[in-house]
Amino acid sequence: MAIAVTLLTLVILPFAAALAIALLHGAPRRVHSAIASAASAGGLAILAMLAGPVLGGATPSATWAWVPSLGLDLALMVDPLGWIFALLILGIGLLVVIFAHAYLHPGEDTGRFFASLMLFQGAMLGIVIAGNVLLLLVFWELTSLASFLLIGFWQHKPEARQGARMALAVTGGGGLALIGGLVLLGLVAGSFDLATILTRGEAVQASPLYPAILTLILIGCFTKSAQFPFHFWLPHAMAAPTPVSAYLHSATMVKAGVFLLARLWPVLAGTELYTITVTSVGLVTMLLGAGVALFRHDLKSILAYSTISQLGMLVMLLGFSLEAAAMAAVLHILNHAAFKAAMFMSAGIVEHETGTRDIRRLGGLAKAMPITALIATLAAAAMAGLPPLGGFISKELVLGEALAFATPDALWLIPALVTLGAGLSVGYSLRLAGHLFFGQPREAEPFARAHEPGVGLWASPALLTTLALLLGLVPMLLAAPLVGPATGAVTGRTPPELDLGLWHGVNLALILSVIAVAGGVLLLWQHKRLLAAWERAPLPDAKLIFDRVMRLADRWVRKAIVATHRPRLQTMLLASFGVTIALVIDGALAGGGTLAGDRPGIAASVPGIAAWALLVAATAAVVLDARHRFRALILISVIGLVVCLAFVQFSAPDLALTQIAVEAVSVLLLLLALNLLPKQPPALSSAPRKGRDALVAIAAGLAVGGIAWAMLTRDPGASIAAFHLANAKTGGGGTNVVNVILVDFRGFDTFGEIIVLGIAGLSIFALLDTTATGAAGARLRAWRTDLPLSPERHPMMLVAASRIILPLTLTVGIFLFLRGHNQPGGGFIAALVVAIAFLVQYLAAGFDWSDARKPFGEHRLIGWGILLALATGLGAMVLGAPFLTSWFDYFKLPLVGTFELASAMLFDAGVFLTVLGAVMLALAQLSHIGMRAARAAARDSGRRGA
Amino acid sequence: MTYEFLVASAIGVLVAGGTYLCLRARTFAVVLGLTLLSYAVNLFLFASGRLVIGRPPIWDGAIAPYADPLPQALVLTAIVITFGMTAFVVVLALRSFLETGSDHVDGDKVACDAQDGLMKDEPSRDGES
């Protein structure tokens, strides 16, 4: 249990920090960065606790069932591979937080920044310690979303928005493919549990679905890790603030694809299809990235292409399907995270202190900022793979593995190309450090501005560079204990024996390494000439192509929508009604049999027939005379009253009470709205159109009436009502079965319904509250009443009567509420009655008078109502019963006698508050804007009169 | 004449009226149409428990048949939700009218008042009258 809590804490910490930062949005930046760094440090402490067992070979894991029917468990597990990645995510995360604290300019929205950063950290952490592939997908999608927020952090910059959108489109699209791939994988492997899947490699590779699975998963990994041809989003993501780039593009986001490849290595790797695809994509990406990096001028763009290249190398290594190559990949992941994060931060420092990132304008900065120069030069040396840094060791291993991969089939092209790639890396690394820090300043202005940054900025890259150096000097001490077990976790075999070091004697790999360095120096020497040639060459612009594809997709989607979905409500409704009627008629004919069943009916009384006639006549009048809107409202309320009478007649007192209360409130609402709407607009529809609509309407009426008739003349099947009736008193403690169903048996439905009602109330508020401005505001101000007004705004008799009635009505409301559990009544009805009591005050005394005396805020009522209902439900869970289980008991009080207390009553009180709040909010808001308009009109006419 | 027939035919009439009004071009007519359709739907749901006279589902210890309480509970919340929906739609219609100066369902420019608009489309420009 302890381990389960530990793992859960590990993954929840960043999310909790994100939430805390978001809630403390207004607090100063140090609060935000303190929360973020505390969460990262806490995560690191947990990792340190886990280090012993994990690196010793144990795999702490914990599983909670989440959606068992889908195979989705909340399963967490930390093996050495996940542990290393978690270390990078949290360690570099902590350093990035420290760096960002100093980097962001005053006035930046640090709350949003650190909250998004922590959200991203949590999502990343989730990917690497997920023990269920479906859970992994959830986190995977979350990283796409969080990175969208981070890349687009500077929302005012178009390139940030475009970069963020492009990253989301590419990685999100890849995520879709990945969903397909992992679901297929889980189905073929027979489980979505990661540990189980990893043991089913043979079954998966033998499956006919293997090529589809592999393709889909590779698309997911390649898009995320910016592999050719999906690499183009990464340079555009450089519009993000530099700390984000340092985090996302050194250790985390783009490594997620590499991680997944490594994670699924035992299942996917080893086949010819896998080896050829993954190796060649990686190789092409590596060469392409390194080549482009050589000719970029923006520091971050150079680093972006360098990242693409290095990721390509990692993918290629995993593609080799060799154990030793996997080991080299794990080692290089560590190295790359260290030096690349340091490089990004150094680029950020240079931009921060000189105001530019254009390498053509900089130079000789070592004089102005020696510490930064030292840090960045060492990091660049690691990137170039020069001794004695860690990069050298991993680069030599890469060359060695390329040779080992090539030897059996004499594929000499591969080591040659890898050497070329290494040479290009040496070239751009040396150019970066050399042109930036040494030689003469190319432009005076940035150089004059340049100065050494504060320790807050250089501390993080300094630490990372030190690590990059130590990884070269003492690899057996620092890297081997991690890399060995992690390689074992990748391959699923026993961890290999490692022999890491700078010097292994003269061998072929060393010779290739020397050739690469020499080539790199040569490239730098000839850089001017090469650059001129590069700029002359016609090269495709990935962004233009991407934009063109997006525009094309956009146009076709629009065409498809317009072709199938005309933006005319009347046409669409006619089609919907027509299709529905056709389906009903078709179904009825297919069923055969007679329309009427043989259930005996109840003979109707004369008053019943009269009420029916009234309803039919009123409906006909509404339809024929809908243009006279006030008259139509009166007729509608006649219909409502007949429906209410039907409920009374057919044993539904609760419904009758609800119906009559809703009727009153609805008519008031429509009246208030009509005050501002046209009262009697001219007719619009032509006679043929009316005729056509009438035919459709009659068909609809016959169809539904026919169904109702067929239903009413047949006996119902066995109803679950018997259960409700039998258990209402004993299980729910109430004799009004309808109310017990609402607050107990189907309380969860009711809970959902009051939420919907609350949302409706709030949406109405949102729609009306904003009418003060814009076109709506202008129209409201120009509004003139077009009705004859009573000379007396607030008739004395009405005001006096309404005030006397108020306490009486409130008493009735409370009475209905209290007896609701046993007799007709309850929260819904009571709320409507109380709402009417208040609304009468609005009607009689006017908005201002009533609103000023109103003892509650409607928004709060809705919120507290829902919270109260929720708390009642959760209370049952705390006591160990299912959500919303009700409790009741009987008590004796002197004088009052025996009475009952039920938790359902609290729930009903929540219903009461929410309904009251929503109804009041809708009506008060509507009368408020009407009042505002009337006042503006009065002011206007007063001015005109004067 | 049975009550079953009255209820079924009333549902049919309400559906026909509601459908016709929903197909009209002005928002207020559509709101009225939705109201009629809601009455019909609520009655229909209620009727699925069949018509019972004089036996409200208030448990009194007797085993005798009661009216089916389940459709009643469903319809009770449906009535309240109907109010929420009507309120939302009517406010949406009002807002659309205020924004566009037209109460056509698609926001088309149409004449809105029989007595030559006390509420013109562009209030600022017609000060001469």
Side-chain angles (χ1 to χ4, degrees):
Chain A
M1 196 59 213
I3 196 71
V5 173
T6 312
L7 293 182
L8 204 59
T9 315
L10 182 62
V11 76
I12 283 178
L13 257 181
F15 291 113
L19 192 65
I21 294 170
L23 289 177
L24 296 171
H25 186 261
R29 122 177 6 202
R30 62 192 140 75
V31 176
H32 299 146
S33 54
I35 297 174
S37 36
S40 307
L44 282 173
I46 294 178
L47 277 188
M49 271 164 50
L50 293 172
V54 169
L55 299 177
T59 303
S61 59
T63 304
W64 294 265
W66 186 359
V67 191
S69 51
L70 293 180
L72 170 56
D73 294 327
L74 182 59
L76 303 173
M77 77 172 200
V78 183
D79 71 345
L81 181 68
W83 192 88
I84 285 198
F85 270 91
L87 179 72
L88 293 178
I89 291 161
L90 290 167
I92 297 192
L94 180 59
L95 296 178
V96 163
V97 168
I98 295 169
F99 180 76
H101 176 85
Y103 177 86
L104 290 174
H105 291 281
E108 301 243 42
D109 191 350
T110 53
R112 185 158 60 83
F113 181 85
F114 283 111
S116 314
L117 197 72
M118 283 292 110
L119 185 65
F120 179 81
Q121 188 182 78
M124 239 2 256
L125 207 54
I127 290 183
V128 301
I129 66 171
N132 180 295
V133 290
L134 297 178
L135 184 68
L136 189 149
L137 278 173
V138 173
F139 286 118
W140 185 280
E141 294 297 319
L142 205 51
T143 57
S144 292
L145 292 177
S147 68
F148 173 78
L149 296 176
L150 284 169
I151 296 170
F153 176 70
W154 283 323
Q155 296 158 339
H156 55 277
K157 293 188 180 172
E159 68 266 24
R161 298 196 298 268
Q162 287 159 9
R165 219 159 39 219
M166 190 190 272
L168 185 65
V170 176
T171 59
L176 286 180
L178 186 68
I179 292 176
L182 287 183
V183 168
L184 281 180
L185 176 67
L187 292 177
V188 169
S191 167
F192 290 105
D193 181 55
L194 193 57
T196 315
I197 290 178
L198 291 182
T199 59
R200 305 268 163 88
E202 281 174 23
V204 171
Q205 297 190 359
S207 155
L209 284 171
Y210 172 73
I213 294 174
L214 183 66
T215 312
L216 290 170
I217 292 180
L218 287 184
I219 291 176
C221 294
F222 289 171
T223 47
K224 201 80 160 184
S225 283
Q227 296 297 293
F228 179 83
F230 307 113
H231 62 283
F232 56 89
W233 68 265
L234 205 153
H236 289 284
M238 291 300 132
T242 303
V244 171
S245 311
Y247 197 31
L248 265 60
H249 305 132
S250 69
T252 53
M253 166 93 165
V254 293
K255 289 274 174 69
V258 175
F259 168 79
L260 194 59
L261 278 182
R263 179 89 283 175
L264 297 176
W265 203 82
V267 191
L268 298 178
T271 62
E272 198 163 294
L273 181 65
Y274 178 90
T275 310
I276 293 175
T277 319
V278 179
T279 306
S280 41
V281 167
L283 195 59
V284 169
T285 311
M286 170 173 139
L287 290 172
L288 178 97
V292 177
L294 198 57
F295 302 111
R296 289 276 140 176
H297 305 302
D298 180 349
L299 293 181
K300 281 177 74 177
S301 185
I302 298 174
L303 292 174
Y305 279 101
S306 142
T307 302
I308 293 177
S309 163
Q310 304 269 351
L311 290 166
M313 190 165 89
L314 290 171
V315 167
M316 177 190 74
L317 280 173
L318 292 169
F320 285 167
S321 307
L322 298 173
E323 185 182 32
M327 190 271 285
V330 174
L331 178 65
H332 194 62
I333 286 169
L334 282 180
N335 273 320
H336 180 246
F339 69 69
K340 191 50 70 64
M343 280 310 299
F344 268 118
M345 290 180 187
S346 306
I349 295 176
V350 168
E351 184 194 13
H352 204 262
E353 309 305 346
T354 64
T356 179
R357 291 197 315 240
D358 192 332
I359 198 166
R360 288 168 301 184
R361 300 181 56 201
L362 297 161
L365 287 177
K367 286 183 219 95
M369 34 206 316
I371 302 177
T372 313
L374 179 68
I375 294 169
T377 309
L378 276 175
M383 188 155 77
L386 298 179
L389 290 117
F392 175 73
I393 298 180
S394 51
K395 185 149 286 182
E396 220 188 20
L397 281 174
V398 173
L399 289 165
E401 286 315 310
L403 286 168
F405 179 70
T407 309
D409 303 319
L411 296 163
W412 296 110
L413 190 61
I414 290 182
L417 290 177
V418 175
T419 312
L420 173 63
L424 290 167
S425 306
V426 175
Y428 67 70
S429 306
L430 292 184
R431 172 175 177 237
L432 197 62
H435 284 194
L436 204 52
F437 296 108
F438 305 103
Q440 290 304 310
R442 291 174 180 73
E443 269 187 34
E445 191 265 327
F447 185 77
R449 281 180 59 180
H451 58 92
E452 197 66 77
V455 64
L457 278 177
W458 63 254
S460 297
L463 185 63
L464 288 164
T465 308
T466 313
L467 281 175
L469 184 62
L470 290 177
L471 281 170
L473 292 177
V474 284
M476 288 309 285
L477 187 72
L478 209 58
L482 307 180
V483 174
T487 309
V490 172
T491 57
R493 302 177 203 141
T494 40
E497 288 295 318
L498 297 186
D499 177 22
L500 303 174
L502 291 169
W503 182 250
H504 288 114
V506 178
N507 55 21
L508 203 48
L510 181 69
I511 295 171
L512 289 181
S513 196
V514 172
I515 294 175
V517 173
V521 174
L522 196 70
L523 284 171
L524 189 61
W525 179 46
Q526 290 294 331
H527 187 260
K528 264 205 180 105
R529 224 172 285 171
L530 290 170
L531 183 63
W534 173 267
E535 281 172 348
R536 274 196 306 277
L539 297 164
D541 183 343
K543 183 169 188 308
L544 278 183
I545 300 172
F546 176 79
D547 286 347
R548 206 168 299 152
V549 170
M550 293 303 268
R551 263 202 304 278
L552 212 65
D554 199 46
R555 196 177 319 141
W556 281 104
V557 168
R558 256 173 225 284
K559 273 190 184 159
I561 289 176
V562 172
T564 55
H565 186 134
R566 302 215 155 261
R568 321 257 353 146
L569 183 71
Q570 288 171 282
T571 324
M572 295 301 296
L573 273 183
L574 190 68
S576 311
F577 286 147
V579 169
T580 313
I581 296 166
L583 282 176
V584 168
I585 293 173
D586 180 56
L589 292 181
T594 55
L595 180 63
D598 47 11
R599 183 173 186 266
I602 309 165
S605 64
V606 175
I609 297 172
W612 173 85
L614 196 59
L615 181 136
V616 173
T619 310
V622 170
V623 170
L624 296 176
D625 201 19
R627 274 191 332 109
H628 293 103
R629 292 178 168 181
F630 280 116
R631 215 180 295 161
L633 271 190
I634 295 170
L635 292 168
I636 283 276
S637 57
V638 169
I639 300 170
L641 286 177
V642 175
V643 171
C644 177
L645 287 176
F647 290 144
V648 174
Q649 172 74 357
F650 302 121
S651 314
D654 283 282
L655 293 194
L657 280 170
T658 315
Q659 182 72 51
I660 197 160
V662 161
E663 210 48 51
V665 180
S666 297
V667 169
L668 268 180
L669 175 98
L670 292 172
L671 268 177
L672 283 171
L674 201 48
N675 187 28
L676 297 168
L677 282 169
K679 312 300 179 286
Q680 199 178 335
L684 276 184
S685 306
S686 59
R689 174 171 223 159
K690 284 183 182 169
R692 181 197 66 188
D693 291 349
L695 283 180
V696 172
I698 289 168
L702 286 175
V704 180
I707 297 174
W709 174 240
M711 175 180 78
L712 281 168
T713 50
R714 285 173 169 80
D715 274 316
S719 164
I720 54 170
F723 169 85
H724 292 143
L725 284 162
N727 288 294
K729 180 70 181 159
T730 49
T735 53
N736 181 1
V737 186
V738 174
N739 184 271
V740 175
I741 290 176
L742 282 176
V743 298
D744 192 334
F745 295 136
R746 303 197 63 86
F748 204 37
D749 284 0
T750 310
F751 185 56
E753 268 144 357
I754 61 172
I755 291 177
V756 171
L757 203 63
I759 293 172
L762 293 175
S763 319
I764 289 170
F765 175 77
L767 277 171
L768 291 179
D769 194 50
T770 47
T771 47
T773 53
R779 278 202 181 78
L780 265 182
R781 279 189 293 281
W783 179 84
R784 298 287 172 278
T785 179
D786 44 1
L787 293 170
L789 287 178
S790 148
E792 215 179 349
R793 296 284 317 263
H794 306 299
M796 180 63 80
M797 286 305 287
L798 182 60
V799 172
S802 73
R803 288 189 196 162
I804 295 168
I805 284 175
L806 179 67
L808 294 175
T809 330
L810 289 181
T811 313
V812 171
I814 294 168
F815 172 67
L816 283 173
F817 176 79
L818 287 178
R819 73 174 207 158
H821 215 43
N822 292 311
Q823 292 293 317
F828 278 107
I829 299 165
L832 291 164
V833 169
V834 170
I836 292 170
F838 285 115
L839 291 171
V840 168
Q841 305 305 308
Y842 279 73
L843 279 185
F847 178 83
D848 295 327
W849 189 89
S850 314
D851 206 51
R853 285 161 183 78
K854 182 184 60 177
F856 48 81
E858 294 92 353
H859 297 79
R860 279 168 198 280
L861 281 185
I862 296 175
W864 283 116
I866 290 173
L867 283 180
L868 182 59
L870 180 69
T872 316
L874 290 179
M877 286 180 87
V878 170
L879 297 175
F883 186 63
L884 279 174
T885 306
S886 76
W887 165 93
F888 64 93
D889 208 344
Y890 299 89
F891 298 89
K892 268 205 173 72
L893 266 188
L895 294 180
V896 180
T898 305
F899 70 103
E900 178 191 359
L901 275 183
S903 68
M905 209 160 210
L906 276 179
F907 181 77
D908 217 14
V911 172
F912 173 86
L913 291 178
T914 312
V915 175
L916 179 63
V919 172
M920 291 299 293
L921 189 58
L923 279 105
Q925 197 60 28
L926 203 49
S927 75
H928 176 59
I929 68 159
M931 191 57 68
R932 213 158 55 192
R935 210 174 289 140
R939 223 178 11 247
D940 231 28
S941 64
R943 213 177 297 142
R944 223 173 274 170
Chain B
M1 197 73 97
T2 59
Y3 275 124
E4 277 78 7
F5 175 76
L6 292 185
V7 169
S9 58
I11 292 172
V13 169
L14 287 171
V15 167
T19 307
Y20 180 80
L21 287 177
C22 279
L23 290 170
R24 304 278 49 80
R26 293 196 189 272
T27 50
F28 197 75
V30 176
V31 174
L32 295 181
L34 280 177
T35 312
L36 293 188
L37 278 183
S38 308
Y39 287 138
V41 170
N42 289 344
L43 271 179
F44 186 91
L45 272 182
F46 170 67
S48 71
R50 303 303 184 270
L51 306 181
V52 177
I53 292 180
R55 290 299 296 168
I58 312 286
W59 198 73
D60 55 8
I63 306 300
Y66 297 88
D68 192 338
L70 190 60
Q72 294 198 13
L74 298 183
V75 171
L76 199 153
T77 50
I79 294 173
V80 181
I81 293 282
T82 301
F83 165 74
M85 186 190 70
T86 312
F88 182 73
V89 173
V90 81
V91 167
L92 201 60
L94 176 62
R95 177 71 192 263
S96 148
F97 174 66
L98 289 175
E99 285 301 328
T100 62
S102 149
D103 69 343
H104 190 277
V105 284
D106 297 322
D108 294 357
K109 290 273 169 222
V110 288
C112 285
D113 231 311
Q115 305 103 20
D116 185 26
L118 290 156
M119 186 140 172
K120 289 280 169 56
D121 280 354
E122 277 151 306
S124 53
R125 286 196 202 155
D126 64 340
E128 84 283 341
S129 60

PDB file of all heavy atoms in Angstrom, chain A residues 826-838:
ATOM      1  N   GLY A 826     -42.288  18.865  -2.555  1.00  0.00           N
ATOM      2  CA  GLY A 826     -40.872  18.567  -2.767  1.00  0.00           C
ATOM      3  C   GLY A 826     -40.107  19.773  -3.258  1.00  0.00           C
ATOM      4  O   GLY A 826     -40.668  20.849  -3.473  1.00  0.00           O
ATOM      5  N   GLY A 827     -38.822  19.563  -3.423  1.00  0.00           N
ATOM      6  CA  GLY A 827     -37.900  20.664  -3.719  1.00  0.00           C
ATOM      7  C   GLY A 827     -38.230  21.412  -4.996  1.00  0.00           C
ATOM      8  O   GLY A 827     -38.229  22.643  -5.016  1.00  0.00           O
ATOM      9  N   PHE A 828     -38.524  20.694  -6.077  1.00  0.00           N
ATOM     10  CA  PHE A 828     -38.812  21.352  -7.353  1.00  0.00           C
ATOM     11  C   PHE A 828     -39.996  22.301  -7.203  1.00  0.00           C
ATOM     12  O   PHE A 828     -39.945  23.471  -7.560  1.00  0.00           O
ATOM     13  CB  PHE A 828     -39.146  20.312  -8.421  1.00  0.00           C
ATOM     14  CG  PHE A 828     -37.939  19.674  -9.047  1.00  0.00           C
ATOM     15  CD1 PHE A 828     -37.577  18.379  -8.764  1.00  0.00           C
ATOM     16  CD2 PHE A 828     -37.162  20.397  -9.955  1.00  0.00           C
ATOM     17  CE1 PHE A 828     -36.472  17.798  -9.343  1.00  0.00           C
ATOM     18  CE2 PHE A 828     -36.057  19.816 -10.547  1.00  0.00           C
ATOM     19  CZ  PHE A 828     -35.710  18.518 -10.243  1.00  0.00           C
ATOM     20  N   ILE A 829     -41.104  21.739  -6.669  1.00  0.00           N
ATOM     21  CA  ILE A 829     -42.345  22.510  -6.595  1.00  0.00           C
ATOM     22  C   ILE A 829     -42.171  23.681  -5.636  1.00  0.00           C
ATOM     23  O   ILE A 829     -42.557  24.819  -5.939  1.00  0.00           O
ATOM     24  CB  ILE A 829     -43.495  21.585  -6.150  1.00  0.00           C
ATOM     25  CG1 ILE A 829     -43.669  20.472  -7.186  1.00  0.00           C
ATOM     26  CG2 ILE A 829     -44.773  22.357  -5.960  1.00  0.00           C
ATOM     27  CD1 ILE A 829     -44.498  19.312  -6.725  1.00  0.00           C
ATOM     28  N   ALA A 830     -41.569  23.404  -4.475  1.00  0.00           N
ATOM     29  CA  ALA A 830     -41.389  24.466  -3.486  1.00  0.00           C
ATOM     30  C   ALA A 830     -40.566  25.606  -4.074  1.00  0.00           C
ATOM     31  O   ALA A 830     -40.889  26.782  -3.886  1.00  0.00           O
ATOM     32  CB  ALA A 830     -40.722  23.899  -2.244  1.00  0.00           C
ATOM     33  N   ALA A 831     -39.524  25.272  -4.810  1.00  0.00           N
ATOM     34  CA  ALA A 831     -38.669  26.308  -5.389  1.00  0.00           C
ATOM     35  C   ALA A 831     -39.463  27.174  -6.362  1.00  0.00           C
ATOM     36  O   ALA A 831     -39.338  28.398  -6.367  1.00  0.00           O
ATOM     37  CB  ALA A 831     -37.492  25.673  -6.110  1.00  0.00           C
ATOM     38  N   LEU A 832     -40.314  26.535  -7.159  1.00  0.00           N
ATOM     39  CA  LEU A 832     -41.094  27.306  -8.129  1.00  0.00           C
ATOM     40  C   LEU A 832     -42.076  28.216  -7.409  1.00  0.00           C
ATOM     41  O   LEU A 832     -42.249  29.381  -7.784  1.00  0.00           O
ATOM     42  CB  LEU A 832     -41.820  26.349  -9.077  1.00  0.00           C
ATOM     43  CG  LEU A 832     -40.892  25.601 -10.034  1.00  0.00           C
ATOM     44  CD1 LEU A 832     -41.593  24.419 -10.659  1.00  0.00           C
ATOM     45  CD2 LEU A 832     -40.404  26.546 -11.114  1.00  0.00           C
ATOM     46  N   VAL A 833     -42.695  27.710  -6.358  1.00  0.00           N
ATOM     47  CA  VAL A 833     -43.665  28.533  -5.624  1.00  0.00           C
ATOM     48  C   VAL A 833     -42.954  29.730  -4.992  1.00  0.00           C
ATOM     49  O   VAL A 833     -43.418  30.874  -5.077  1.00  0.00           O
ATOM     50  CB  VAL A 833     -44.376  27.680  -4.555  1.00  0.00           C
ATOM     51  CG1 VAL A 833     -45.169  28.561  -3.609  1.00  0.00           C
ATOM     52  CG2 VAL A 833     -45.278  26.659  -5.222  1.00  0.00           C
ATOM     53  N   VAL A 834     -41.792  29.481  -4.370  1.00  0.00           N
ATOM     54  CA  VAL A 834     -41.059  30.575  -3.736  1.00  0.00           C
ATOM     55  C   VAL A 834     -40.606  31.577  -4.797  1.00  0.00           C
ATOM     56  O   VAL A 834     -40.668  32.796  -4.599  1.00  0.00           O
ATOM     57  CB  VAL A 834     -39.872  30.004  -2.936  1.00  0.00           C
ATOM     58  CG1 VAL A 834     -38.957  31.121  -2.487  1.00  0.00           C
ATOM     59  CG2 VAL A 834     -40.383  29.228  -1.742  1.00  0.00           C
ATOM     60  N   ALA A 835     -40.171  31.046  -5.956  1.00  0.00           N
ATOM     61  CA  ALA A 835     -39.750  31.950  -7.023  1.00  0.00           C
ATOM     62  C   ALA A 835     -40.901  32.851  -7.437  1.00  0.00           C
ATOM     63  O   ALA A 835     -40.736  34.057  -7.626  1.00  0.00           O
ATOM     64  CB  ALA A 835     -39.243  31.147  -8.217  1.00  0.00           C
ATOM     65  N   ILE A 836     -42.089  32.262  -7.544  1.00  0.00           N
ATOM     66  CA  ILE A 836     -43.244  33.077  -7.937  1.00  0.00           C
ATOM     67  C   ILE A 836     -43.508  34.155  -6.891  1.00  0.00           C
ATOM     68  O   ILE A 836     -43.790  35.313  -7.220  1.00  0.00           O
ATOM     69  CB  ILE A 836     -44.488  32.179  -8.138  1.00  0.00           C
ATOM     70  CG1 ILE A 836     -44.270  31.292  -9.361  1.00  0.00           C
ATOM     71  CG2 ILE A 836     -45.735  33.010  -8.310  1.00  0.00           C
ATOM     72  CD1 ILE A 836     -45.306  30.218  -9.527  1.00  0.00           C
ATOM     73  N   ALA A 837     -43.360  33.781  -5.612  1.00  0.00           N
ATOM     74  CA  ALA A 837     -43.580  34.769  -4.551  1.00  0.00           C
ATOM     75  C   ALA A 837     -42.667  35.971  -4.746  1.00  0.00           C
ATOM     76  O   ALA A 837     -43.089  37.128  -4.606  1.00  0.00           O
ATOM     77  CB  ALA A 837     -43.322  34.124  -3.190  1.00  0.00           C
ATOM     78  N   PHE A 838     -41.416  35.713  -5.076  1.00  0.00           N
ATOM     79  CA  PHE A 838     -40.488  36.825  -5.276  1.00  0.00           C
ATOM     80  C   PHE A 838     -40.796  37.582  -6.571  1.00  0.00           C
ATOM     81  O   PHE A 838     -40.731  38.806  -6.614  1.00  0.00           O
ATOM     82  CB  PHE A 838     -39.051  36.332  -5.293  1.00  0.00           C
ATOM     83  CG  PHE A 838     -38.539  35.988  -3.924  1.00  0.00           C
ATOM     84  CD1 PHE A 838     -38.208  34.691  -3.592  1.00  0.00           C
ATOM     85  CD2 PHE A 838     -38.412  36.978  -2.952  1.00  0.00           C
ATOM     86  CE1 PHE A 838     -37.747  34.379  -2.333  1.00  0.00           C
ATOM     87  CE2 PHE A 838     -37.954  36.677  -1.684  1.00  0.00           C
ATOM     88  CZ  PHE A 838     -37.615  35.370  -1.370  1.00  0.00           C
TER      89      PHE A 838
END
